[in-house]
Every structure is written in structure tokens, then in C-alpha cells.
């Protein structure tokens, strides 16, 4: 593999909150233009890993390199110009307009004491346009739907002009259609040469759109690599500690086999209720 | 990513025109409101001065226009030495407290925050009480008040600092600690103060008044206010990012700790200067930002300048009422909330709790 193609390189990384180890022996490489999906159970440290990747948290040991430079040697401003983050929670008390929210993405390109110019505003508008949500520009961010919010936040991140985008569960709490819409939009972003790492709770989302997958469980990576080779029944069992069936069907319109997975949980396996439950 | 910049800016001219048409009347009101209140406050009071004489006096004294003097010397003294400094001071304090409140509410991402959150008012109150009980003169009391106001916030800031950061929750809690410490010290001073002379002085000082404002005081107060307000106006767009929370603000290229430091520094200069000249005036810094947010929206680029104009007008109106309503002056701290609370309740009911 061409070394200059590596955007993110994680070597022997370990992270701990105080004495409580979250994960260790973590090795992962993300290439330019990859859409990598990070899967794992609740609380296995996916979000923690993302927060290490944009320098918000520091590893206990090991190293993360961004385009070949160790992240702890990069100034925060350089990281913000390279890496955009779409967070899962949005917690402001103030009903900013959509355009104001997207403009915030210009942060890394403006000094502490300046405000966005007309040029920044044009960039924000074209980012909204690219994500198909230009019509929302004057709406209150707090009043738009979950799917629209996610697209607006992605637009804000694009406004940052990053080369890497990290997304923490971009499809969480979205309905069926909006999940597909957001995933499709994320897929389109990689066509522009962006490198994307997203976490998800849906293995099917990885099968649907990711080039590469990293599976986390038991405080480390179960496996990582190309989606087709990594997403196996045995790997998913190791990741989620339940039986998983992977099914392949022919999808005539696209002339290809598509794979999807189903958990197989039988009520009998879950033990008996005690008599006093009802 | 490649953005079709051209296609977007093409649609702009009409858009901008539309925006200007909704913004322009607001800007006119913002400029006209404080000016109108300012002129009215110069000719109302026990000595009624007609507007024509007022304009003549101002013309002679401020612009040195060659107008023949056909008014009583008392008019000149009342306007130039009493009403003018008092009106300017009220406007500065109103503007300063309001912009500080708006900046803090943005920074803490909490619309319930007031500029006194980090203990500046109790510190400054203590400084004044200390000065009064030690028999210091007016100037020294003001300096002591200003100094202890700053000291209180420095204590809060140092208490909240962990791992080279100042988490917002730590700041709030440290502010509570430092405030209550200085509050009890004020009580202690009141307890030992001479109940016939010093105790009432301390009580009235803290309740707040512009009654003793002299022309010379303006310059002392002007500089900390000017520095603070300018600083806040310069970082006003960054406050938008700050209100997304530390982590997001940082991910969008904001030096969060530096920004917090700048905001705290500026608001502390302003509010310590305010409390040191006119006591603890509550409510203004809490409510004016809300009213302005209902009017121009939450974007701090528009909000901060608006709070200056509205805050200045509000406190001047309140001060005019304070000095004209009854024969003896009503302390400001009482009036700001007696008038402000029902007004805010009315706005809150009318907007059904939905801001903007």
C-alpha cells in the first residue's frame, strides 16, 4: 500500500478514564477516500475513539497519526482544518437559524476576533445547497426534523473544508427513509475524496455503504478490513455476543448480490421469567 | 469539496435587499431609542427645563456655539453638572450590564445566567462596605469596590481551574462558593457597623443609585467599560460557537480556554466598574438579553450590539423614574425589578415561553 495514501494511522493505542481501561492494543489504518464504519456494542468506546481522533481526548499509550503527523504534535487549529466532526448530541439553548449554524463551520478559518465575511456566507450557502437543504436556510435549527438536522450538521462540517470527517452515529434516531438519505449523502461525500469514519449501531448500514469496517468488543478491535471480508457471522458474533445470520440476495436492478444481517434471538435462550412478573 | 459558489451568490442581491428591509427599521429604532430617552431625561425632573433652552445650553456648553445666554445659571448647573453625567452613567451601566449578561448567557449556554454569576457583585459590595466602615472617601470606596469585584472573580477562576481547563460547571459552582463567602463577609461588616450611621450607608449603597454621579466619575468608569465592551463585541461571533459546548467549539477551531478568559475578563471589568459606581443593580443583565433575543434572534453578532442600545435605554428610563416618581429618590436596585419583572412576565406570556 502506498504510505502517502494513509490518512489516519492508529498504533498500539490504549485509552483509559482514570484507572478504568476502555480499550487497548488498537491498531487501525484508514486510507484516503475510505468510508469506514465503526461497529460495536454500547459502551465499547466508539465515541471515545472518535474523540481521540480529533485530539479532544489523549491516549494513555500508543500513537495516532493524521497524514503521517502524530496528533499530539499538531496545533488544535490545524486539526480543526483537517478534521471535521459531526457530533451526536446537539445541545444549545438558543434557536439559531440553519444558516447561522452552518456558518459556525468557518470557525477554523477565521481569527478569534473576526466574524464571517460574505465569502464565508457563500461557502455556507453552497454547502447547504450541495446537501439539498438550501431551502432551510432561514428556518430555526431547533424546529427542523431529525434528518434535516443531520444534513445541516454535515453541511456545517463541509463548511470547515476538512479532509477527514468523523461522524458519531449519524443515523441515530432517524426514520427509515432519513437513514437511507443520510447514508447516501455520506457515501457521496467520499466521491469528493473525503475520508470518513462513522460509528453505527446498525451492521446493515456498514454492509450498505461502507468500504471498510472496524469491529470493537472486549476492549479492543475484533477485526478490521474490507467490508465484504470482515462482515462474517463469526466476527459479528464476537462483536455483539449474539448469533447473527448474514443473508445474501440477488438485487436485479443493480446486477449484484447484496448482503444483510439479522440477529437470531430465540426467546427460549433468554431464560424464564419468574412467576411474579405479572 | 468543490462548491458552486457562483450559483449561490447569483441569488444573493434580492435576498440581501429583503434582509436589509427587515433589518433597517430595527437599526433605526436602536439608534433613535437611546437618543430620545437621553434628551427626555435631561429636561425632566424637579426643575422643569423646556427643550429649546436645553438645546441652547447643550449647544453652548458642549459645542461652544455662540448663543446669547438667556437662562438661569441654575439651569446650566442642573443640566451639565447633574443630569448629563447621571444620564450618561446610567446608559453606560445599563449597556455594560446587558452586554455582559448576553455574553455570559451565550458562553454558559444558559439563558438564566446573569453577569454577577462569578461573584463580582458580592466582591464589589464587600469592597464598598469595607471602605465605608473604615471611613474612606467616595473615591476610595469606589476603588476598593472595583478591586474586590475583580478579586472575587479571580478567586472563582482559580478555584475552578482543573487540568489547565475551566469547565463551565466548575466555574458556576466556584462562583456560588465565592459569592456566598463575600456575602457573609458583607453581613459580618453590617453586623459590626454602627447602626445609626454606617449601617444605613452600606445598605443604601448596595441597593444602588446614580444620585452621587459627578462629571469626573464618568472618565474613571468609561475606560474599563470601553475596554470590556469592545472586547466582547470583537469576539461576539465566537460566542455563537461557544454556546455549542466546549467540545464542539474546539472541534470548529475555537481556542476555548482563551475565549473563556477573554469573556470573563471583559464582563468582569464591566460589571466591577458598574457595581463600584452604582451598587448592585440586578435584573438588567438577566432580562435585557432575553428581550433583545426575542427581537433580533439569538445570533450574538446582532444580539450584543442590540443589548447595548436597549440596555442603555432601559436603565436610563428606570433611573428617570427613580429620581422623579417621589420626592425622595427610590433605590435603583428596587425599581429595576419592580418595573422589569411585570414587563418581562408580560413578554414571556405573550411569546408563550418561545423565544424568538
Amino acid at each position: 500500500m502506498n504510505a502517502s495514501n494513509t490518512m489516519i494511522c492508529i498504533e498500539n493505542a490504549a485509552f483509559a478514564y482514570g484507572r478504568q481501561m476502555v480499550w487497548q492494543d488498537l491498531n487501525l489504518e484508514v486510507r484516503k477516500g475510505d468510508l469506514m464504519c465503526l461497529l460495536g456494542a454500547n459502551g465499547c468506546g466508539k465515541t471515545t475513539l472518535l474523540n481521540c481522533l480529533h485530539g479532544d481526548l489523549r491516549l494513555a499509550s500508543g500513537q495516532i497519526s493524521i497524514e503521517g503527523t502524530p496528533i499530539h504534535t499538531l496545533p488544535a487549529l490545524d486539526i480543526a482544518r483537517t478534521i471535521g466532526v459531526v457530533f451526536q448530541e446537539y445541545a444549545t439553548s438558543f434557536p439559531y437559524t440553519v444558516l447561522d449554524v452552518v456558518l459556525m463551520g468557518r470557525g477554523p478559518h477565521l481569527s478569534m476576533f473576526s466574524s464571517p465575511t460574505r465569502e464565508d456566507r457563500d461557502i455556507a450557502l453552497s454547502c447547504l445547497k450541495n446537501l439539498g437543504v438550501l431551502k432551510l436556510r432561514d428556518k430555526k435549527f431547533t424546529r427542523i426534523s431529525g434528518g434535516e438536522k443531520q444534513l445541516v450538521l454535515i453541511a456545517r462540517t463541509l463548511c470547515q473544508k476538512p479532509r477527514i470527517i468523523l461522524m458519531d452515529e449519524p443515523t441515530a434516531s432517524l426514520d427509515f427513509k432519513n437513514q437511507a438519505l443520510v447514508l447516501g449523502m455520506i457515501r457521496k461525500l467520499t466521491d469528493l475524496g473525503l475520508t470518513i469514519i462513522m460509528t453505527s449501531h446498525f451492521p446493515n448500514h456498514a454492509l450498505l455503504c461502507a468500504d471498510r469496517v472496524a469491529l470493537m468488543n472486549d476492549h479492543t478491535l475484533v477485526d478490521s478490513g474490507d467490508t465484504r471480508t470482515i462482515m462474517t457471522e463469526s466476527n459479528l458474533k464476537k462483536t455483539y455476543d449474539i448469533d447473527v445470520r448474514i443473508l445474501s440476495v440477488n438485487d436485479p436492478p443493480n446486477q449484484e448480490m447484496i448482503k444483510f444481517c439479522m440477529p437470531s434471538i430465540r426467546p427460549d435462550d433468554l431464560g424464564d421469567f419468574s412467576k411474579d412478573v405479572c | 469539496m468543490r462548491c458552486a459558489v457562483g450559483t449561490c451568490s447569483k441569488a444573493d442581491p434580492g435576498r440581501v435587499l429583503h434582509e436589509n428591509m427587515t433589518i433597517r427599521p430595527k437599526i433605526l429604532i436602536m439608534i433613535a431609542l437611546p437618543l430620545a430617552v437621553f434628551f427626555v431625561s435631561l429636561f425632566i425632573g424637579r426643575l422643569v427645563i423646556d427643550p429649546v433652552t436645553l438645546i441652547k445650553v447643550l449647544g453652548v456648553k458642549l459645542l461652544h456655539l455662540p448663543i446669547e445666554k438667556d437662562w438661569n445659571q441654575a439651569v446650566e448647573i442642573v443640566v451639565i453638572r447633574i443630569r448629563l453625567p447621571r444620564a450618561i452613567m446610567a446608559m453606560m451601566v445599563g449597556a455594560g450590564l446587558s452586554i455582559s449578561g448576553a455574553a455570559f448567557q451565550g458562553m454558559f449556554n444558559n439563558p438564566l445566567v446573569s453577569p454577577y454569576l462569578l461573584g463580582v457583585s458580592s466582591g464589589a459590595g464587600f469592597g464598598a462596605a469595607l471602605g465605608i466602615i473604615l471611613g474612606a472617601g467616595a473615591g476610595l470606596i469606589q476603588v476598593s469596590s472595583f478591586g474586590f469585584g475583580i478579586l472575587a472573580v479571580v478567586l472563582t477562576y482559580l478555584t475552578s481551574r482543573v487540568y489547565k481547563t475551566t469547565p463551565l460547571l466548575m466555574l458556576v459552582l466556584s462562583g456560588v462558593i465565592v459569592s456566598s463567602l463575600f456575602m457573609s463577609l458583607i453581613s459580618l461588616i453590617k453586623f459590626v457597623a454602627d447602626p445609626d450611621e454606617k449601617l444605613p450607608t452600606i445598605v443604601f449603597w448596595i441597593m444602588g443609585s446614580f444620585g452621587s454621579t459627578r462629571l469626573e466619575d464618568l472618565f474613571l468608569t468609561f475606560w474599563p467599560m470601553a475596554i470590556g465592551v469592545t472586547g466582547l463585541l470583537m469576539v461576539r461571533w465566537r460566542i455563537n460557537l461557544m454556546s455549542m459546548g466546549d467540545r464542539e467549539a474546539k472541534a470548529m477551531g475555537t481556542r476555548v480556554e482563551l475565549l473563556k478568559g477573554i469573556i470573563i475578563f471583559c464582563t468582569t471589568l464591566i460589571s466591577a466598574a458598574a457595581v463600584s459606581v452604582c451598587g448592585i443593580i440586578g435584573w438588567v443583565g438577566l432580562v435585557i438579553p432575553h428581550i433583545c433575543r426575542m427581537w433580533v434572534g439569538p445570533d450574538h453578532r446582532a444580539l450584543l450590539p442590540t443589548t447595548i442600545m436597549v440596555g442603555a435605554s432601559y436603565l436610563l428610563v428606570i433611573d428617570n423614574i427613580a429620581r422623579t416618581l417621589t420626592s425622595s429618590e427610590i433605590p435603583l436596585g428596587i425599581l429595576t425589578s419592580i418595573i422589569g419583572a411585570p414587563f418581562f412576565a408580560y413578554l414571556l406570556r405573550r411569546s408563550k415561553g418561545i423565544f424568538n
Side-chain angles (χ1 to χ4, degrees):
Chain A
M1 185 194 303
N2 185 353
S4 67
N5 236 356
T6 305
M7 291 300 278
I8 299 175
C9 186
I10 308 172
E11 293 162 285
N12 299 320
F15 184 86
Y17 284 111
R19 286 192 164 185
Q20 195 196 349
M21 191 260 297
V22 181
W23 32 253
Q24 59 189 5
D25 301 326
L26 212 138
N27 289 284
L28 190 63
E29 198 171 85
V30 187
R31 290 168 304 187
K32 187 171 163 50
D34 268 353
L35 171 51
M36 169 164 279
C37 187
L38 201 55
L39 295 170
N42 277 332
C44 74
K46 298 188 296 290
T47 303
T48 305
L49 179 57
L50 285 194
N51 285 334
C52 289
L53 287 178
H54 67 95
D56 189 54
L57 297 174
R58 281 195 74 163
L59 296 176
S61 64
Q63 181 168 288
I64 293 173
S65 307
I66 305 295
E67 297 174 324
T69 315
I71 194 163
H72 60 267
T73 65
L74 282 170
L77 193 62
D78 288 358
I79 297 178
R81 284 178 180 164
T82 313
I83 303 176
V85 192
V86 179
F87 292 91
Q88 196 185 347
E89 293 131 27
Y90 177 90
T92 182
S93 318
F94 304 116
Y96 293 114
T97 65
V98 163
L99 182 58
D100 284 341
V101 170
V102 175
L103 265 179
M104 292 177 193
R106 297 307 294 159
H109 302 279
L110 293 166
S111 84
M112 176 73 92
F113 300 109
S114 52
S115 287
T117 59
R118 168 156 296 248
E119 196 183 330
D120 295 309
R121 198 162 154 275
D122 288 340
I123 293 171
L125 288 170
S126 70
C127 290
L128 277 171
K129 189 164 186 269
N130 275 305
L131 287 174
V133 283
L134 187 58
K135 62 181 189 304
L136 300 176
R137 51 179 281 173
D138 295 323
K139 289 244 167 70
K140 306 246 169 299
F141 184 81
T142 39
R143 301 270 184 86
I144 60 179
S145 76
E148 289 170 337
K149 274 184 190 165
Q150 207 55 255
L151 293 174
V152 168
L153 290 180
I154 294 172
R156 182 180 79 179
T157 309
L158 283 185
C159 205
Q160 238 172 295
K161 303 267 174 194
R163 297 189 286 281
I164 299 168
I165 297 183
L166 310 176
M167 298 190 189
D168 197 8
E169 292 183 38
T171 54
S173 68
L174 295 187
D175 68 27
F176 194 61
K177 176 197 161 181
N178 279 310
Q179 288 182 6
L181 183 65
V182 168
L183 285 177
M185 212 47 104
I186 293 171
R187 180 73 252 180
K188 262 178 75 177
L189 294 181
T190 58
D191 297 341
L192 298 162
L194 282 160
T195 307
I196 297 175
I197 301 182
M198 61 180 248
T199 66
S200 178
H201 278 306
F202 304 101
N204 279 327
H205 289 173
L207 286 166
L208 200 61
C209 69
D211 308 300
R212 314 236 302 153
V213 175
L215 302 170
M216 286 177 85
N217 195 14
D218 278 337
H219 310 297
T220 189
L221 278 187
V222 174
D223 207 346
S224 67
D226 288 340
T227 308
R228 299 226 157 229
T229 54
I230 295 301
M231 293 291 277
T232 61
E233 290 180 354
S234 71
N235 268 343
L236 286 176
K237 185 177 164 69
K238 278 188 221 160
T239 307
Y240 292 107
D241 299 317
I242 56 163
D243 288 318
V244 180
R245 298 275 163 272
I246 291 191
L247 306 165
S248 298
V249 290
N250 195 19
D251 181 27
N254 292 330
Q255 300 284 309
E256 60 177 343
M257 294 292 284
I258 55 168
K259 279 191 187 178
F260 61 97
C261 69
M262 297 276 283
S264 87
I265 292 184
R266 288 177 299 274
D268 296 348
D269 296 344
L270 298 175
D272 289 327
F273 283 131
S274 65
K275 290 280 185 260
D276 55 356
V277 156
C278 301
Chain B
M1 97 172 263
R2 299 277 153 265
C3 292
V5 173
T7 47
C8 290
S9 45
K10 249 179 222 162
D12 258 346
R15 184 81 226 166
V16 168
L17 198 67
H18 170 72
E19 276 175 5
N20 280 352
M21 280 165 77
T22 58
I23 288 170
R24 205 172 288 150
K26 288 183 182 175
I27 292 178
L28 283 178
I29 294 173
M30 261 176 236
I31 295 168
L33 183 71
L35 281 179
V37 176
F38 179 71
F39 277 105
V40 168
S41 64
L42 290 184
F43 58 80
I44 60 166
R46 205 166 306 154
L47 179 69
V48 181
I49 299 165
D50 69 286
V52 179
T53 313
L54 175 71
I55 290 168
K56 281 185 190 167
V57 172
L58 289 178
V60 170
K61 297 307 272 185
L62 301 181
L63 304 172
H64 304 290
L65 296 178
I67 300 173
E68 199 185 331
K69 185 173 168 180
D70 59 352
W71 55 83
N72 195 328
Q73 183 66 23
V75 170
E76 204 174 291
I77 290 172
V78 166
V79 169
I80 300 298
R81 308 268 339 153
I82 299 174
R83 289 186 191 165
L84 186 71
R86 186 170 179 157
I88 292 174
M89 185 66 94
M91 290 180 100
M92 287 202 301
V93 169
L97 288 177
S98 303
I99 192 177
S100 303
F104 259 11
Q105 288 176 3
M107 167 171 150
F108 286 94
N109 185 23
N110 185 337
L112 298 174
V113 159
S114 87
Y116 300 148
L117 182 74
L118 302 183
V120 66
S121 57
S122 18
F126 169 76
L130 191 68
I132 292 168
I133 203 170
L134 295 179
L140 202 57
I141 291 174
Q142 190 182 336
V143 170
S144 155
S145 171
F146 183 76
F148 274 99
I150 304 259
L151 177 74
V153 177
V154 169
L155 282 179
T156 301
Y157 189 78
L158 293 178
T159 310
S160 69
R161 205 148 168 84
V162 282
Y163 302 124
K164 290 184 189 166
T165 64
T166 43
L168 294 176
L169 186 63
M170 284 288 284
L171 271 172
V172 174
L173 292 176
S174 310
V176 171
I177 294 169
V178 171
S179 291
S180 61
L181 179 72
F182 278 106
M183 275 305 189
S184 0
L185 290 176
I186 293 176
S187 298
L188 182 68
I189 290 184
K190 282 183 184 167
F191 181 67
V192 299
D194 163 24
D196 294 325
E197 193 194 327
K198 302 247 159 117
L199 182 59
T201 314
I202 295 175
V203 171
F204 283 118
W205 191 95
I206 289 175
M207 278 184 184
S209 165
F210 289 113
S212 59
T213 307
R214 293 160 305 153
L215 205 53
E216 302 82 74
D217 296 337
L218 291 180
F219 301 101
L220 268 177
T221 314
F222 175 78
W223 285 112
M225 291 259 176
I227 293 169
V229 167
T230 310
L232 290 179
L233 284 177
M234 282 172 82
V235 297
R236 67 191 197 276
W237 180 68
R238 280 283 161 182
I239 299 176
N240 281 1
L241 279 84
M242 188 80 214
S243 71
M244 297 283 125
D246 282 12
R247 181 170 280 169
E248 274 195 64
K250 193 179 152 201
M252 290 185 289
T254 306
R255 293 162 74 187
V256 175
E257 291 307 320
L258 177 65
L259 183 58
K260 274 183 204 166
I262 293 174
I263 295 173
I264 293 174
F265 175 78
C266 292
T267 52
T268 304
L269 273 186
I270 294 170
S271 32
V275 177
S276 72
V277 290
C278 62
I280 301 174
I281 296 175
W283 194 255
V284 177
L286 176 68
V287 169
I288 297 299
H290 276 284
I291 292 171
C292 295
R293 215 174 279 123
M294 287 177 186
W295 191 31
V296 298
D299 181 359
H300 292 85
R301 280 179 295 170
L303 181 64
L304 261 50
T306 309
T307 55
I308 293 180
M309 300 312 222
V310 176
S313 313
Y314 176 79
L315 198 56
L316 186 51
V317 167
I318 298 289
D319 185 49
N320 285 337
I321 296 171
R323 68 186 170 87
T324 54
L325 195 63
T326 57
S327 54
S328 72
E329 214 177 297
I330 306 167
L332 261 184
I334 298 173
L335 267 190
T336 46
S337 29
I338 280 187
I339 296 169
F343 179 57
F344 187 53
Y346 161 74
L347 286 179
L348 201 59
R349 291 300 305 163
R350 214 185 59 169
S351 66
K352 302 194 169 51
I354 301 157
F355 294 110
N356 191 42

